[in-house]
Amino acid sequence: VVEFQEDRVKDPNVVMVGHELVMWKPGEIVAAFRPRPPSGKLPHGVQLPPGKYYSVKHPRLSYGTPKTIDLLRSVVERYQGASRGGPRVHFGDISRKGGGAFPPHLSHRGGRDVDVKRSWALIQSFLKTDQVEYIFVDWRLQKLLYEHARSTGLSKRTLDELFQYPRSRRRAHGIIRHWSGHVNHFHVRFKD
């Protein structure tokens, strides 16, 4: 199976000299042909497999879109490389097999949301994918993350783009936002 690099090939039906092709193992679904799940459903969910550098709280509740699962594995690799053997990442709930309502969560229905426990280095690894729509974390923890990020030399402009803090927790601003119930973990929502 062959996948085209989207930034170089505009029409996957036309192959020309100079196009870069990536070969995939038989049985894998090529990203461009993966079905997109309808909102709140996860008809083609993939379970997050066990990994060397992460643990999964409830494997039966660890189903996501193929893209979400690929991104999670990529983020963990980036995090481990940057933190030189930092602590294992702990993944909480993602979605049920097939998606749908998932009490007590208001989200986690379509395989694009995941609860995560770790640090600023891990959040940066998520942000570097350019696929994160929101990261939800309690406002008080957001303050600590903000202050730590500022101490690492992040510019005021970048801090302003990323964080809701120091604005009110009711203000809809930034990628990193307050959501109650996220005191001991953060919640990541990937883009479509």
Side-chain angles (χ1 to χ4, degrees):
V1 179
V2 176
E3 179 181 353
F4 297 96
Q5 295 297 314
E6 294 177 20
D7 60 331
R8 296 187 184 173
V9 178
K10 301 298 179 206
D11 183 353
N13 297 311
V14 178
V15 178
M16 300 178 70
V17 174
H19 286 172
E20 187 174 330
L21 306 176
V22 177
M23 303 302 288
W24 288 78
K25 295 178 189 175
E28 295 266 340
I29 298 175
V30 177
F33 296 100
R34 289 178 177 157
R36 186 171 175 193
S39 179
K41 300 290 181 190
L42 187 59
H44 304 284
V46 175
Q47 188 176 29
L48 181 64
K52 180 177 179 181
Y53 300 114
Y54 62 86
S55 61
V56 180
K57 181 179 178 183
H58 299 292
R60 64 184 175 77
L61 303 175
S62 66
Y63 287 84
T65 65
K67 180 179 178 182
T68 295
I69 300 304
D70 289 347
L71 285 167
L72 291 176
R73 296 174 82 183
S74 170
V75 163
V76 169
E77 286 177 25
R78 180 178 286 126
Y79 169 71
Q80 283 298 318
S83 63
R84 302 190 200 296
R88 289 169 57 100
V89 176
H90 180 80
F91 289 118
D93 297 335
I94 301 175
S95 187
R96 293 179 178 189
K97 186 175 184 177
F102 190 0
H105 301 289
L106 297 177
S107 58
H108 292 271
R109 295 169 182 246
R112 295 186 306 128
D113 299 274
V114 59
D115 290 335
V116 185
K117 293 186 178 183
R118 263 309 140 228
S119 65
W120 174 244
L122 182 58
I123 288 176
Q124 283 184 301
S125 295
F126 274 101
L127 292 171
K128 286 178 182 175
T129 68
D130 290 326
Q131 294 298 310
V132 173
E133 186 172 357
Y134 297 112
I135 295 177
F136 298 111
V137 64
D138 187 85
W139 197 78
R140 292 164 293 181
L141 293 179
Q142 192 181 142
K143 176 181 187 246
L144 297 172
L145 290 167
Y146 178 94
E147 290 170 355
H148 176 73
R150 186 177 61 191
S151 75
T152 66
L154 221 55
S155 72
K156 183 162 176 42
R157 180 179 177 176
T158 302
L159 289 167
D160 183 61
E161 290 173 6
L162 292 177
F163 285 89
Q164 175 185 33
Y165 180 86
R167 296 164 193 83
S168 163
R169 66 182 75 196
R170 291 174 188 80
R171 177 99 182 266
H173 181 88
I175 295 172
I176 302 171
R177 297 186 181 190
H178 169 74
W179 197 270
S180 61
H182 292 81
V183 177
N184 62 357
H185 68 283
F186 60 90
H187 173 124
V188 176
R189 174 171 295 155
F190 290 113
K191 298 175 184 175
D192 287 335

